[in-house]
Amino acid sequence: MEFIGLDYTTLRVIWWLLLGILLIAWAVMDGFDLGVGTLLPFVARTDDERRLVINTVGPVWEGNQVWLVLGGGAIFAAWPPLYAVSFSGFYLAVFLMLFGLILRPVAFKYRSKMPGKRWRENWDRALFVGGLLPALIAGVAVGNVLVGVPFHFDDSMRIFYTGTLIGLLNPFALVAGLVSVAMVVSHGAAMLVLKTDGPVAERSARYGSVAAVLTFVLFALAGVWVAFGLPGYQITSQVVTDGPTNPLLKTAAVGAVAGGWLRNYQSMPLTLLAPILGLVGALASAVLLRARRGGLAFLASGASIAGIILTVGFAIFPFLLPSSSQPGSSLTVWDSSSSHLTLGIMLIATAIFLPIIIAYTSWVYRVMKGKTTAEEMGDNPNAY
């Protein structure tokens, strides 16, 4: 059976790619917002400097979060079992992430409503937490995907999650969380170098270059860990790519094997371009930040973020969420999607609306281009 000329297998792969694209878009577009918030206490010393930093992202942060909404919506509509397992199993972690994401807009809106020093400093701390916490939790979640998550289904497809919040904070996941924080901090620093001048830009370049080097080191460390110390998962039964959505239809267990996450790189060498992009982009960002080339540094750090996310996606394919407690319950691209008809209809809707979102976002950034200055803030009644 085909829909719009595409068979079920092809539609599943397309939606796997679209999910990756949406996650990259969120990490790149909203990532610099998170990085700017995390850098706020370090690159801005006075109230005027803090307002300058905040207003570099003030006009665009709300629009950037659209990509997070799209990513969550794509998981809900295209991969229902993944949505059910991850959002229920990671409930406390998701709550902490949402707490940071909710705290951030409140801080943006209320910080400059009163002139008191303590009032503004408390909201500055809120912006720091609202930047750091989501980036850390998102990285920890990705780390746990590689480690495997303790969940299983019973015969009636009810989900049972047997892990804890503390269990999610395992050593590898914490390293992945640090990679996430470092990459968004370097990305945010690049935006500040691009959008500001003077002491703020100087400090941003200094801190950002250190964060970019840490991104390189931590990502390389995580890669070595995956290659030599972290078992990957492998399907041992015959793979049916166009079968019904039911993870329990696998006829053999999906087990963890040494070096399992490297098999796609061995069979498809072109996928090695992803980790290379992640590493080279991070180093290039560090060099360009030192040279005060904000625009190029922003492109380099964005490329590094894309490379890091693609590295994980290529490594685990066709897995979406491996189960560490019952490997046969692991969710894969081939047994966790919506129906063929649903995927086809959503693809048509995506082909219509995604270009509109990209065009509107491009127009906004074109209108908002240029440096953010103290004079501009003084003349703009809508400035934070």
Side-chain angles (χ1 to χ4, degrees):
M1 178 181 177
E2 294 189 359
F3 183 86
I4 60 173
L6 299 174
D7 58 39
Y8 202 6
T9 299
T10 303
L11 278 173
R12 281 170 160 167
V13 173
I14 288 173
W15 273 101
W16 175 78
L17 290 171
L18 282 173
L19 178 59
I21 290 169
L22 292 174
L23 291 176
I24 290 171
W26 174 63
V28 172
M29 300 303 294
D30 206 24
F32 71 79
D33 295 345
L34 302 177
V36 168
T38 306
L39 283 167
L40 180 63
F42 306 101
V43 301
R45 307 286 171 80
T46 66
D47 186 67
D48 287 340
E49 288 181 349
R50 293 188 188 101
R51 287 193 66 214
L52 183 67
V53 169
I54 292 169
N55 279 278
T56 59
V57 298
V60 297
W61 68 267
E62 288 180 286
N64 291 341
Q65 292 196 142
V66 167
W67 298 103
L68 177 61
V69 176
L70 290 174
I75 295 175
F76 173 78
W79 313 101
L82 175 62
Y83 182 89
V85 173
S86 59
F87 279 71
S88 58
F90 292 173
Y91 183 82
L92 291 177
V94 171
F95 179 83
L96 287 174
M97 183 174 178
L98 289 177
F99 171 76
L101 292 173
I102 293 170
L103 190 63
R104 185 173 58 150
V106 176
F108 274 124
K109 297 297 184 181
Y110 281 95
R111 183 198 182 274
S112 295
K113 296 295 184 183
M114 294 177 62
K117 181 180 179 181
R118 179 174 294 181
W119 171 270
R120 295 191 172 189
E121 286 179 347
N122 286 335
W123 288 118
D124 290 340
R125 294 187 186 99
L127 284 170
F128 170 74
V129 173
L132 176 66
L133 193 58
L136 179 64
I137 296 297
V140 168
V142 172
N144 276 284
V145 170
L146 288 163
V147 171
V149 179
F151 73 92
H152 65 274
F153 297 94
D154 66 7
D155 293 339
S156 59
M157 287 298 292
R158 289 185 301 168
I159 302 166
F160 292 87
Y161 177 79
T162 56
T164 63
L165 178 61
I166 299 301
L168 294 176
L169 302 177
N170 56 78
F172 180 82
L174 289 174
V175 170
L178 293 176
V179 172
S180 177
V181 171
M183 73 183 191
V184 301
V185 166
S186 64
H187 199 45
M191 174 57 72
L192 288 174
V193 173
L194 176 64
K195 296 287 288 184
T196 65
D197 286 317
V200 169
E202 293 295 318
R203 297 185 199 114
S204 299
R206 188 163 60 251
Y207 283 110
S209 60
V210 172
V213 171
L214 284 175
T215 301
F216 177 90
V217 172
L218 290 169
F219 182 49
L221 172 63
V224 172
W225 197 332
V226 168
F228 299 104
L230 188 70
Y233 288 75
Q234 187 172 9
I235 301 174
T236 57
S237 63
Q238 182 178 359
V239 177
V240 179
T241 62
D242 59 353
T245 293
N246 186 344
L248 298 182
L249 289 181
K250 301 183 194 70
T251 57
V254 183
V257 295
W261 290 141
L262 301 181
R263 65 189 183 283
N264 286 336
Y265 294 110
Q266 295 167 353
S267 60
M268 297 179 287
L270 280 178
T271 56
L272 288 169
L273 292 176
I276 292 172
L277 181 64
L279 293 168
V280 172
L283 284 184
S285 178
V287 172
L288 291 165
L289 281 168
R290 282 290 183 181
R292 308 300 188 267
R293 302 296 298 274
L296 291 176
F298 186 82
L299 293 176
S301 59
S304 178
I305 290 172
I308 290 170
I309 294 175
L310 287 172
T311 297
V312 177
F314 290 151
I316 68 174
F317 184 84
F319 289 92
L320 295 172
L321 190 64
S323 170
S324 59
S325 58
Q326 192 180 93
S329 293
S330 297
L331 303 179
T332 74
V333 171
W334 314 126
D335 57 25
S336 305
S337 73
S338 292
S339 68
H340 185 218
L341 180 63
T342 300
L343 294 181
I345 292 173
M346 289 198 309
L347 184 60
I348 293 174
T350 301
I352 295 172
F353 290 105
L354 188 58
I356 295 174
I357 295 172
I358 293 173
Y360 174 74
T361 302
S362 302
W363 175 78
V364 168
Y365 276 87
R366 182 183 178 189
V367 171
M368 299 296 177
K369 69 179 181 179
K371 300 283 187 179
T372 302
T373 64
E375 293 77 12
E376 183 182 67
M377 289 189 302
D379 295 336
N380 185 359
N382 296 315
Y384 291 113

